[in-house]
């Protein structure tokens, strides 16, 4: 890195994907779309190039400057992006890179939505990075630094669109590609075995199954999230109470884009959802909102982190958020499960009402990047208007 670049971005302020070894390894095993965001002259390109250099064998840097797209509060239809979009789509379609770095101001909501759609279509986890240079919002300084020679006035017009941090639909840990595939495989095996289990077949009425003899659980849980993840805070782009405060937490800021290893201790099935129970470490609990359990079960007391899970599938008309509620139901029942023997690498127990859980003898470890999901509601496996959940006054929008 040039000495200019190291002065502009001191080590302590660099994103984990540049300086943390575990993150670097995990990013290499994931599909990540990095969106650099900020005013012209704020240091995006320096950061973008540094990331490209670090991941040179797997990365592709696509820059708006390279397509001569002048940053402006947009009034046009966005046609100037046609060629750049072509490069992005081809890169995704042909799997030319597992890390795509997009260098642009990213101030325009419509443009961002287009990119989130692409990321979602090709299953890229989005990471939004902003340069930490001291002058990033100082229009007087940016005037002399931006290569587009934007005037003070033009910069001042752009500034309000970039001052506010982008709050995602939800924050969470997003599984690395290989870990996600592996967990899906483990879950499929579990569902197959459970569906064929004699004792399970005795309780099929809980699943509303017309056939009294068998149930294809893989079909039953027809919808699975696009990218497997463990939600920490549902934000609805800042509309949910406490979302802005959560986004401002020091731990959230520090850990954004960092990799973690999550420990899965159990798999479960209910007539509504199937999921994996996650045991959070003390460090991971720093990212866990104190009211996460109360949000969905206000009248009960749970140890912090009890709701941590990965949704693996939902039944028709059931929302993903139900999985965490179902997990808390298991936690409430505690030791009350009836032991049903060994299955899928653990001890299977039946809790009544079609609730089954296998406690794994060996925890499954999955690597995941802490980031946000920014795309449209209802796309990443979350459906609206569920009829079968039993959520108490939870603020579903
Ligand atoms: P999940 O974490 O159980 O899968 C979008 O709906 C995502 O946010 C889903 O992953 C969903 O459930 C999670 N989520 C958490 N709390 C939510 C809430 N109160 N409303 C909607 N979704 C929520």
């Amino acid at each position: 890195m040039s000495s200019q670049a190291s002065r502009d971005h001191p080590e302590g302020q660099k994103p984990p994907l540049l300086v943390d070894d575990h993150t670097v390894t995990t990013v290499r095993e994931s599909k990540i779309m990095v969106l650099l965001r900020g005013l012209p002259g704020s240091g995006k390109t320096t950061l973008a190039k540094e990331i490209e250099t670090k991941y040179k064998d797997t990365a592709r840097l696509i820059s708006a400057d390279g397509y001569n797209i002048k940053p402006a509060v947009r009034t046009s239809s966005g046609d100037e992006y046609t060629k750049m979009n072509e490069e992005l789509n081809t890169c995704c379609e042909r799997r030319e890179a597992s890390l795509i770095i997009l260098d642009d101001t990213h101030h325009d909501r419509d443009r961002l939505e287009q990119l989130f759609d692409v990321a979602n279509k090709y299953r890229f986890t989005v990471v939004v990075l902003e340069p930490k240079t001291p002058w990033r919002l100082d229009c007087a300084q940016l005037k002399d630094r931006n290569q587009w020679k934007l005037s003070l006035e033009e910069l001042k017009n752009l500034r309000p669109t970039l001052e506010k941090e982008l709050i995602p639909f939800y924050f969470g840990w997003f599984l690395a590609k290989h870990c996600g595939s592996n967990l899906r495989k483990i879950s499929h095996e579990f569902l197959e075995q459970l569906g064929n289990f004699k004792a399970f077949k005795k309780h099929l009425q809980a699943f509303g199954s017309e056939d009294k003899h068998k149930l294809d659980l893989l079909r039953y849980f027809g919808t699975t999230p696009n990218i497997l993840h463990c939600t920490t805070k549902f934000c609805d782009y800042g509309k949910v109470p406490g979302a802005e405060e959560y986004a401002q937490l020091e731990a959230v800021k520090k850990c954004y884009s960092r990799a973690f290893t999550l420990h899965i201790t159990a798999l479960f099935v209910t007539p509504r959802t199937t999921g994996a129970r996650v045991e959070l470490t003390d460090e991971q609990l720093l990212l866990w909102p104190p009211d996460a359990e109360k949000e969905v079960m206000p009248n009960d007391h749970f140890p912090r982190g009890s709701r941590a899970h990965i949704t693996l599938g939902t039944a028709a008309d059931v929302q993903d958020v139900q999985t965490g509620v179902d997990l808390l139901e298991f936690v409430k029942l505690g030791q009350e499960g009836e032991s049903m023997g060994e299955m899928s690498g653990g001890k299977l127990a039946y809790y009544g009402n079609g609730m089954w859980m296998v406690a794994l003898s060996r925890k499954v470890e999955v690597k995941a990047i802490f980031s946000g999901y920014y795309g449209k509601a209802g796309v990443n496996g979350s459906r609206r208007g569920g009829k079968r959940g039993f959520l108490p006054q939870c603020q579903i929008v």
Side-chain angles (χ1 to χ4, degrees), residues 337-357:
E338 183 188 343
S339 178
M340 292 286 178
E342 294 277 325
M343 177 187 285
S344 291
K347 287 193 171 58
L348 182 70
Y350 184 53
Y351 289 76
N353 299 320
M355 294 176 68
W356 298 83
M357 181 178 267

Side-chain angles (χ1 to χ4, degrees), residues 145-163:
R145 287 180 180 268
N146 86 87
Q147 60 140 6
W148 286 99
K149 303 209 178 342
L150 295 189
S151 65
L152 189 61
E153 186 154 62
E154 284 173 305
L155 287 163
K156 279 186 176 167
N157 284 340
L158 271 174
R159 193 181 134 137
T161 60
L162 285 161
E163 256 170 350

Side-chain angles (χ1 to χ4, degrees), residues 237-251:
Y237 314 108
K239 287 184 223 140
V240 166
E244 301 228 5
E245 291 79 355
Y246 180 82
Q248 295 308 322
L249 287 178
E250 206 191 312

